C-alpha cells in the first residue's frame, strides 16, 4: 500500500492524479484536518504531527509514504528519513517528499526567473530555494509566503473577491520582478491555479499534481525492491482526523471525486 499524507484536503490534488496513473496500486490518503494548517506552525510541531501520521500509515501497512504536504516535505521529511526511520522496525520502508521532483522539473525547463509561492513554514525552511539552486545556480529565485490562501481554500472560498484580492497581493512581488515561472509550493494552490494564471497570463506554472505521478513512476522503475512489495488490488481509502462528512463534500465539490472517508484520532 502507498500512503499519501497531507495536513488537510489539499493533498487530494496530488492523490487524484496518482490514483488515475496507478489504478491497480492500493492507495490510502491521510488528511490531518483536525490540526491543519501546518504552514503557520513551528518546525517541531510540524515534525511531531507528520511523524504521528507516518507511524499511523506504517502501522496500517504502507510500504511507502508520499508527503504530499509541501510544509511537511520541507520541515519534517529530512528528519524522518535521517532520524526516525533508520534503526526502527520500519527501516526498510520509504518516506518521500514532493519538493525535489518539482525542483527538477523547473530546473529542466531552463527557467531563469523563478518565483516560489508557499506557506510561511515552507518559505522559512528555504528548502525549495536550496533544491532549485543546486540544479540551476544562476537562476534568479524569489520566495513569497501566502498565509491567507490555505484558510480561504479550506473554507471553500475559491472564487470570491477576497481570494482574488489575496492572489493579486501575493503575486505583486513576482510581477515587480518580472517573474516568468511560478512554483506552486503548496498542495492547495493548484485549486486556484486559474486565478494565478489569470493574474499572470504569461507565467509558466509548476505544481506537484502535474509532476509527482510520473516522478513516482520513474522511482518505482528504479526501485524494484520497493515496487514488488506494494499491494495491487486497486483499493482506495481516505482517512481524516477531522470531520468525514466535510471531507467527502470537499472532495466532491472541488475535485469532483466521490469518496468515503473514515475518521481517526491521533
Ligand atoms: N499542505 C500544506 C502544504 O502543502 C498546506 C496547508 C497547510 O498549511 O497545512 O504546504
Amino acid at each position: 500500500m502507498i500512503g499519501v499524507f497531507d495536513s488537510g484536503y489539499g493533498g487530494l490534488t496530488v492523490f487524484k492524479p496518482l490514483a488515475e496513473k496507478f489504478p491497480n496500486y492500493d492507495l490510502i490518503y491521510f488528511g490531518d484536518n483536525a490540526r491543519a494548517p501546518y504552514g503557520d506552525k513551528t518546525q517541531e510541531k510540524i515534525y511531531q504531527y507528520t511523524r504521528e501520521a507516518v507511524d499511523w500509515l506504517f502501522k496500517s501497512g504502507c510500504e511507502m509514504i508520499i508527503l504530499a504536504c509541501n510544509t511537511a516535505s520541507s520541515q519534517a521529511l529530512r528528519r524522518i528519513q535521517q532520524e526516525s526511520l533508520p534503526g526502527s522496525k520500519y527501516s526498510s520502508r520509504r518516506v518521500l517528499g514532493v519538493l525535489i521532483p518539482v525542483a527538477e522539473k523547473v530546473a529542466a525547463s531552463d527557467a531563469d526567473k523563478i518565483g516560489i509561492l508557499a506557506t510561511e513554514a515552507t518559505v522559512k525552511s528555504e528548502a525549495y530555494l536550496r533544491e532549485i539552486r543546486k540544479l540551476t545556480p544562476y537562476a534568479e529565485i524569489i520566495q513569497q509566503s501566502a498565509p491567507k490562501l490555505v484558510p480561504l481554500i479550506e473554507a471553500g472560498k475559491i472564487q470570491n473577491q477576497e481570494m482574488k484580492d489575496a492572489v493579486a497581493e501575493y503575486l505583486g512581488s513576482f510581477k515587480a520582478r518580472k517573474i516568468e515561472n511560478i512554483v506552486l509550493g503548496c498542495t492547495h494552490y493548484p485549486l486556484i491555479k486559474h486565478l494565478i494564471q489569470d493574474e499572470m497570463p504569461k507565467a509558466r506554472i509548476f505544481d506537484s499534481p502535474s509532476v509527482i505521478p510520473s516522478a513516482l513512476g520513474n522511482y518505482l522503475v528504479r526501485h524494484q525492491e520497493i515496487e514488488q512489495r506494494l499491494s495491487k488490488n486497486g483499493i482506495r481509502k481516505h482517512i481524516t482526523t477531522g470531520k468525514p462528512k466535510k471531507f467527502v463534500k470537499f472532495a466532491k465539490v472541488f475535485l469532483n471525486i466521490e469518496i468515503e472517508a473514515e475518521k481517526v484520532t491521533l
Side-chain angles (χ1 to χ4, degrees):
M1 180 125 73
I2 300 175
V4 177
F5 165 76
D6 185 41
S7 55
Y9 301 117
L12 288 170
T13 59
V14 179
F15 188 86
K16 186 180 178 184
L18 279 175
E20 284 163 7
K21 183 166 170 75
F22 299 99
N24 301 328
Y25 289 71
D26 296 345
L27 299 175
I28 179 168
Y29 182 90
F30 189 107
D32 193 8
N33 295 76
R35 302 191 291 195
Y38 281 15
D40 59 359
K41 301 210 163 39
T42 60
Q43 201 259 340
E44 199 50 45
K45 272 268 173 286
I46 296 164
Y47 170 69
Q48 182 201 325
Y49 290 171
T50 306
R51 204 183 148 179
E52 284 171 16
V54 162
D55 281 346
W56 188 93
L57 285 165
F58 279 152
K59 275 190 203 125
S60 305
C62 291
E63 287 292 338
M64 165 191 272
I65 297 168
I66 299 169
L67 302 185
C69 180
N70 292 257
T71 303
S73 292
S74 59
Q75 292 277 9
L77 177 64
R78 204 188 303 179
R79 225 170 130 190
I80 288 175
Q81 288 172 332
Q82 294 177 357
E83 289 176 26
S84 330
L85 273 184
S88 78
K89 62 177 169 183
Y90 301 123
S91 60
S92 66
R93 305 195 191 180
R94 292 289 175 273
V95 183
L96 307 174
V98 287
L99 270 58
I100 294 176
V102 175
E104 284 172 350
K105 191 77 180 181
V106 185
S109 74
D110 283 335
D112 59 1
K113 281 181 176 232
I114 303 164
I116 300 159
L117 196 65
T119 64
E120 284 174 302
T122 299
V123 165
K124 200 164 163 211
S125 76
E126 299 197 338
Y128 263 116
L129 207 60
R130 271 196 308 277
E131 294 304 336
I132 298 175
R133 225 171 237 148
K134 265 189 225 162
L135 302 166
T136 175
Y138 301 109
E140 178 186 339
I141 311 171
I142 62 167
Q143 301 193 98
Q144 173 68 52
S145 63
K148 290 182 202 160
L149 299 185
V150 167
L152 284 171
I153 295 168
E154 293 266 328
K157 295 181 182 168
I158 286 185
Q159 282 299 354
N160 73 359
Q161 195 55 42
E162 202 182 347
M163 174 63 90
K164 287 180 188 160
D165 292 345
V167 168
E169 175 191 334
Y170 295 133
L171 295 182
S173 58
F174 291 174
K175 283 187 189 165
R177 302 276 284 274
K178 299 198 172 12
I179 291 293
E180 295 141 357
N181 303 278
I182 301 174
V183 173
L184 303 188
C186 171
T187 45
H188 291 55
Y189 304 165
L191 292 168
I192 51 161
K193 195 171 178 171
H194 56 292
L195 299 179
I196 294 169
Q197 196 75 75
D198 285 351
E199 198 62 37
M200 294 184 68
K202 289 193 187 141
R204 285 190 296 182
I205 297 181
F206 298 85
D207 63 10
S208 316
S210 56
V211 172
I212 298 305
S214 56
L216 178 62
N218 293 338
Y219 180 90
L220 294 178
V221 169
R222 283 183 283 116
H223 294 275
Q224 283 298 304
E225 76 290 0
I226 305 286
E227 199 284 330
Q228 278 158 21
R229 300 206 308 251
L230 297 173
S231 52
K232 300 174 188 78
N233 304 298
I235 292 169
R236 306 284 180 256
K237 275 192 189 170
H238 295 82
I239 306 296
T240 175
T241 57
K243 295 188 175 116
K245 260 195 184 162
K246 211 172 156 197
F247 192 93
V248 167
K249 191 172 166 205
F250 190 98
K252 176 69 192 149
V253 174
F254 296 111
L255 288 130
N256 198 22
I257 43 179
E258 306 265 0
I259 57 166
E260 285 176 18
E262 224 176 278
K263 183 180 170 89
V264 300
T265 306
L266 290 181

